[in-house]
Amino acid sequence: MSEEQRVEPMIAGGIDASASAEKRSIRSVYHGLNLAEHDERYGRSTTRDATASTKYRKFLRRSASQCTASAFKRWLLRRLPVVDALRTYRLKAWIVSDIVAGLSVAVVTVPQCLGFAKLANVPAILGLYSSFFPVLVYFVFGSSRHVSIGSMAFCSLMVAETIRKQGLGLDTMPASNYNGTNDTTEASDSMFTPEEIRKISVVVSVSFLAGAFQILMSVFRLGILVSFMSEAFVSGYMAAGAIRIMTIQIRNMFGLPPISGYSGPGEYFYGVFFMLRSLPNANLFEVLISVLSVVTLAVVKTCVNERFARRIKVPIPIDFIVVIIFTTASHFCQFEEKFGVEILKTVPKGIPAVTVPSIGIMSSCVYDAFMLAIVAYTTLGIMAKLLSQRHNYPVDNDQELLANGLSALGGAFFCSIAPSASPPRTLLMESSGGRTQVAYVVGGLFSLLSVLVVVPMFRSLPICVLSSVVFVDSLTLLPNMAAGIGYWRTNRYDFAVFAFTAAVSLALPVAWAVAIGVGFSLILVHFRMQRPDAFELSINEEDLILLNRKNFSRWNPNDKIVIFRFESPLYFATLDVFTERLFKSTISLSKLSYLQTKSDRLRDRAVHLPKIIITAASLQSVDDEVSPSEPQVNPGECNHSTEQNSFNVDAVCDGGASVDTKQNDDHSGDCENGDSDCGDEVEMLLRSPRNIVVDCSAISFLDTSGAKTLARLHGEYSQFNIRFLLANCCSGFVDQLKRVDECRNLIEESVYPSVQDVIVSVDC
């Protein structure tokens, strides 16, 4: 046998022997110290809370230290991410990728933005304005490298709703009142009709106000608001929004008249009913064009661009190709004159004049503008965060909020719709190899070239083709509906948020749906916090770990202690649940009081019972020199024998003093009046736990009401000689206890660093 073969079993045997011999003892690791003793042993620093004047002086010193050239430089770089992007730009390695990505997105942006503008019920050219002016602003202030900002379907849908609301009073006002200056109005009259001018003024005003809201929110660092919109909420909102958008596009694809009549809750279902009733009036030629467009777009995007994405470096710009083909066919075949196909007709050429928002319109659409700001930033923030995680670069939420606000506010002066990130174009930017914000400039310049040269040639473009482009683009949002099925399997609460948000988004106006959906999500979170997990724990002495008694079997019983874990913040809304679960796992105060009353009644009815000594520590009954001349208790009386001495007739006595039971001839025999089982209830009192430990490791938050409740439980349990202890408390939990005067005794006596320390203290 080789040396290695002889050594190997020796090592294995030694390991087994050491494993069996070195079972860790709980006393070798924990010392049984309470929190005060623990802090003294390990030297906890006792720093006092700073006063208001001290905090103010520290704030002034910190502010003064930041008023330096280097601090200003850091602030400037943080507010202007483009400086750092250009400073670290790799020209030879990245320029080609950025140009290709920018052009790939631009050729898709042109037809999509034209369609989004029609979705917003404004002139189509406003969609292209939104793909140039806001892009330049975001290039300077945005921190994301892949977000494609511009017109977005949901923002267009909300703008259309605002226009419909404002349109109730537009006909009674002259067009000049909807523009900042008379020069702008006169210039606009040559490009747009009076009705279009009024719509443009509403767009400018609501976009300007939405941008102002976003900038104000960034000043107060409210970019974290996006975190209140859960994935389930976003999925439900996008799924319902996609259905709304597709329904509107179907109306345009079939050449049906605009929906008129009812406006308010349930308007979507009214619109569907109106559309179905108008189907006999559909233009069959527009239906044919729409079917050809949808089939061509869907086949090329799904079967070519997605399937051969690895082989094709640049996706086929099928949107742009379809627009060019049908524009050319419409122009030479005279679709409008011969077949009644609706076309764009007038498409202005050149850069628009500066338009000043109307204060009167802004004052009447404050809520719509605020919801528009929330929706626009939510979509942009989600896409920016997603892509930053994929490509491992930082994104500042507040900076993104500022960039989005400046883009909306600056673009509003040039007739731009409030911009946001378009998910399909953003993903196209990523898949095309875009590296930095330089791709934005390339795409923006192409959009400018389209405004100046290309788009005026689209006067013969059929509206149904643009609707087909938007319809196919909205199909990419339908997988959010499949996510709802997944939520049903993974988490019913998430499914409830998804279903409720989707239903509300269809039944109510879009602006209402956002607020109601978010509110429902927060209410459901609060509801879930009021139904937390709470269970009893026991310790495995071999490995010194705590185990759930319901889920595990290898735990060591300990009759002296009950360990209770509550997995939720302890504040005013969860106090009732906490006390209910605590009493269910241990023993309630009302039950203790009831058992004490029973024991008192038993004491009054007992005959020649021995003297019982009740100690405050353990409540154990013992005989105390029973006289032989005293008659013994009949075993049939109260179901207990004095030989067992397992009952306690005076289960609770002040100070643990001994009590002499006296003879009472009036109550000899069995317990009467339904008290035949009183002995069992007294025995239950004896078996009640002497130490109740609350494992606070899962309690992340404690308010004043919760602290007072813990102090009350500590005081009331102590009246029954039961120790109420807290363990594994976080620092904020302990600080809150220290700030409440009623918890002074609780802090000094009953707070431990860990549950294991409590067990050692009890066993000592």
Side-chain angles (χ1 to χ4, degrees):
M1 181 180 295
S2 63
E3 185 68 22
E4 294 180 356
Q5 291 176 341
R6 288 196 303 268
V7 172
E8 199 170 314
M10 294 174 60
I11 295 176
I15 292 176
D16 294 338
S18 61
S20 60
E22 295 180 2
K23 289 185 177 180
R24 290 180 296 173
S25 172
I26 192 171
R27 294 180 182 275
S28 64
V29 181
Y30 298 95
H31 304 282
L33 306 177
N34 61 25
L35 187 62
E37 296 169 343
H38 177 273
D39 293 345
E40 182 179 359
R41 177 185 178 92
Y42 296 103
R44 178 181 176 89
S45 59
T46 56
T47 56
R48 296 182 178 179
D49 294 337
T51 61
S53 59
T54 304
K55 293 180 179 179
Y56 181 68
R57 287 194 297 268
K58 289 182 178 180
F59 172 76
L60 291 180
R61 286 196 297 266
R62 186 169 60 253
S63 302
S65 63
Q66 295 178 353
C67 296
T68 61
S70 60
F72 176 76
K73 181 180 179 180
R74 290 193 301 270
W75 178 86
L76 188 63
L77 292 177
R78 189 170 62 253
R79 294 303 180 189
L80 298 175
V82 66
V83 176
D84 187 64
L86 295 178
R87 186 177 58 181
T88 59
Y89 191 78
R90 302 177 186 177
L91 184 62
K92 295 182 179 180
W94 292 349
I95 187 63
V96 176
S97 299
D98 284 337
I99 292 176
V100 171
L103 292 176
S104 300
V105 174
V107 294
V108 176
T109 299
V110 172
Q112 283 189 1
C113 288
L114 292 174
F116 290 154
K118 298 303 295 183
L119 176 64
N121 198 20
V122 296
I125 193 63
L126 267 65
L128 281 183
Y129 295 159
S130 305
S131 64
F132 172 65
F133 296 104
V135 169
L136 295 183
V137 179
Y138 186 82
F139 166 73
V140 177
F141 295 98
S143 60
S144 177
R145 303 174 187 174
H146 296 90
V147 168
S148 176
I149 195 170
S151 299
M152 199 265 288
F154 294 107
C155 294
S156 299
L157 196 64
M158 297 185 72
V159 169
E161 185 175 325
T162 305
I163 290 175
R164 185 170 62 253
K165 292 179 181 178
Q166 296 293 326
L168 298 176
L170 293 177
D171 295 336
T172 60
M173 301 179 66
S176 59
N177 291 345
Y178 287 85
N179 295 275
T181 61
N182 292 332
D183 295 338
T184 303
T185 304
E186 293 175 0
S188 300
D189 286 340
S190 60
M191 296 192 300
F192 304 107
T193 64
E195 181 182 0
E196 291 176 339
I197 294 174
R198 297 164 186 166
K199 292 180 179 180
I200 291 173
S201 186
V202 174
V203 172
V204 169
S205 301
V206 71
S207 299
F208 178 89
L209 190 56
F213 276 128
Q214 290 176 333
I215 295 174
L216 188 64
M217 290 165 63
S218 69
V219 171
F220 291 99
R221 305 184 67 84
L222 296 179
I224 197 174
L225 285 177
V226 71
S227 62
F228 288 96
M229 298 185 179
S230 64
E231 180 182 346
F233 166 80
V234 174
S235 298
Y237 181 76
M238 286 189 172
I243 294 174
R244 273 180 171 267
I245 294 169
M246 293 170 66
T247 304
I248 295 174
Q249 301 313 311
I250 289 175
R251 177 180 62 81
N252 295 330
M253 291 160 61
F254 283 24
L256 300 177
I259 300 173
S260 59
Y262 176 72
S263 177
E267 61 183 359
Y268 169 76
F269 301 103
Y270 174 83
V272 172
F273 173 77
F274 181 86
M275 186 179 67
L276 294 176
R277 192 175 60 180
S278 303
L279 279 179
N281 301 325
N283 188 319
L284 297 181
F285 195 77
E286 287 186 322
V287 173
L288 177 62
I289 295 175
S290 301
V291 171
L292 292 175
S293 301
V294 170
V295 171
T296 304
L297 291 168
V299 169
V300 174
K301 288 186 175 183
T302 304
C303 299
V304 180
N305 289 348
E306 293 183 4
R307 185 174 182 180
F308 301 99
R310 297 182 178 180
R311 300 181 182 180
I312 303 176
K313 295 183 179 180
V314 179
I316 299 175
I318 188 62
D319 304 77
F320 198 72
I321 294 174
V322 168
V323 167
I324 292 177
I325 291 174
F326 281 102
T327 300
T328 305
S330 174
H331 176 73
F332 289 103
C333 298
Q334 299 179 354
F335 284 176
E336 182 185 17
E337 292 81 3
K338 293 182 178 180
F339 306 103
V341 176
E342 185 180 2
I343 60 175
L344 285 182
K345 294 182 180 179
T346 303
V347 180
K349 180 180 180 180
I351 298 176
V354 176
T355 304
V356 180
S358 169
I359 298 178
I361 296 178
M362 287 192 294
S363 62
S364 61
C365 61
V366 174
Y367 178 76
D368 293 334
F370 181 75
M371 289 294 104
L372 178 61
I374 295 294
V375 171
Y377 170 67
T378 298
T379 307
L380 188 144
I382 290 174
M383 296 306 301
K385 183 178 181 180
L386 173 65
L387 294 173
S388 66
Q389 292 175 350
R390 286 185 182 180
H391 298 275
N392 194 24
Y393 62 85
V395 167
D396 186 352
N397 290 332
D398 296 313
Q399 183 63 28
E400 288 298 302
L401 186 57
L402 176 64
N404 196 187
L406 291 175
S407 300
L409 191 142
F413 289 103
F414 297 94
C415 303
S416 297
I417 304 173
S420 183
S422 172
R425 296 200 306 267
T426 299
L427 297 178
L428 177 60
M429 174 80 76
E430 179 193 23
S431 61
S432 301
R435 296 297 186 91
T436 64
Q437 295 93 322
V438 174
Y440 303 159
V441 179
V442 176
L445 292 177
F446 186 87
S447 298
L448 177 61
L449 182 64
S450 301
V451 171
L452 297 177
V453 180
V454 180
V455 173
M457 301 179 184
F458 290 162
R459 296 177 180 178
S460 300
L461 173 63
I463 298 296
C464 61
V465 175
L466 289 179
S467 298
S468 301
V469 172
V470 177
F471 181 88
V472 175
D473 181 68
S474 300
L475 291 176
T476 59
L477 301 175
L478 289 183
N480 291 285
M481 299 187 66
I485 302 176
Y487 292 137
W488 176 263
R489 186 182 67 257
T490 57
N491 192 303
R492 301 295 173 85
Y493 289 103
D494 289 339
F495 177 80
V497 172
F498 170 85
F500 181 84
T501 304
V504 169
S505 300
L506 291 177
L508 300 178
V510 180
W512 297 10
V514 176
I516 295 175
V518 173
F520 178 77
S521 300
L522 297 179
I523 291 174
L524 198 59
V525 170
H526 182 73
F527 177 80
R528 294 178 65 180
M529 292 176 65
Q530 287 186 306
R531 279 155 179 79
D533 289 334
F535 44 85
E536 188 176 348
L537 298 173
S538 288
I539 192 167
N540 181 291
E541 295 183 355
E542 181 179 355
D543 296 322
L544 306 182
I545 60 175
L546 297 174
L547 301 175
N548 188 340
R549 299 185 64 169
K550 292 183 179 180
N551 300 334
F552 298 92
S553 59
R554 295 181 179 178
W555 46 269
N556 303 98
N558 192 335
D559 297 334
K560 300 179 182 179
I561 187 171
V562 173
I563 306 171
F564 172 75
R565 174 177 288 177
F566 187 73
E567 296 185 343
S568 175
L570 188 59
Y571 64 112
F572 64 92
T574 59
L575 293 180
D576 293 338
V577 181
F578 172 78
T579 54
E580 177 185 349
R581 300 288 182 85
L582 176 66
F583 293 159
K584 185 177 180 180
S585 298
T586 58
I587 185 169
S588 66
L589 294 168
S590 59
K591 185 67 174 178
L592 287 171
S593 179
Y594 171 77
L595 293 177
Q596 179 183 1
T597 303
K598 284 287 187 179
S599 66
D600 292 340
R601 295 171 63 181
L602 175 61
R603 179 196 58 193
D604 296 337
R605 297 176 183 178
V607 180
H608 303 299
L609 290 180
K611 183 186 296 183
I612 305 299
I613 298 178
I614 309 300
T615 62
S618 62
L619 289 180
Q620 298 297 321
S621 62
V622 298
D623 292 337
D624 185 15
E625 299 179 358
V626 180
S627 174
S629 62
E630 291 183 272
Q632 301 297 316
V633 179
N634 190 326
E637 295 178 358
C638 298
N639 299 326
H640 283 276
S641 169
T642 55
E643 295 178 356
Q644 297 175 344
N645 285 330
S646 60
F647 64 95
N648 187 345
V649 299
D650 209 6
V652 180
C653 59
D654 296 333
S658 61
V659 180
D660 292 331
T661 59
K662 298 183 179 180
Q663 181 176 350
N664 191 340
D665 295 331
D666 296 335
H667 298 283
S668 60
D670 295 337
C671 297
E672 299 174 353
N673 299 326
D675 293 333
S676 60
D677 59 341
C678 56
D680 294 334
E681 292 173 340
V682 174
E683 187 176 1
M684 183 186 303
L685 182 60
L686 286 174
R687 293 198 305 267
S688 62
R690 299 298 97 201
N691 299 274
I692 297 177
V693 183
V694 179
D695 181 7
C696 304
S697 58
I699 302 178
S700 59
F701 169 73
L702 177 72
D703 68 348
T704 304
S705 300
K708 291 182 178 180
T709 299
L710 294 176
R712 178 180 59 82
L713 291 173
H714 175 262
E716 293 183 358
Y717 271 118
S718 63
Q719 295 178 4
F720 298 96
N721 298 319
I722 296 177
R723 300 174 67 197
F724 181 76
L725 310 173
L726 306 178
N728 288 331
C729 304
C730 63
S731 58
F733 189 101
V734 176
D735 292 340
Q736 179 62 54
L737 291 177
K738 292 180 179 179
R739 287 193 290 266
V740 178
D741 294 335
E742 291 88 338
C743 299
R744 186 173 305 170
N745 293 333
L746 177 65
I747 286 287
E748 294 176 354
E749 304 172 358
S750 304
V751 180
Y752 285 78
S754 66
V755 176
Q756 289 81 356
D757 283 299
V758 176
I759 297 174
V760 172
S761 175
V762 171
D763 291 339
C764 289

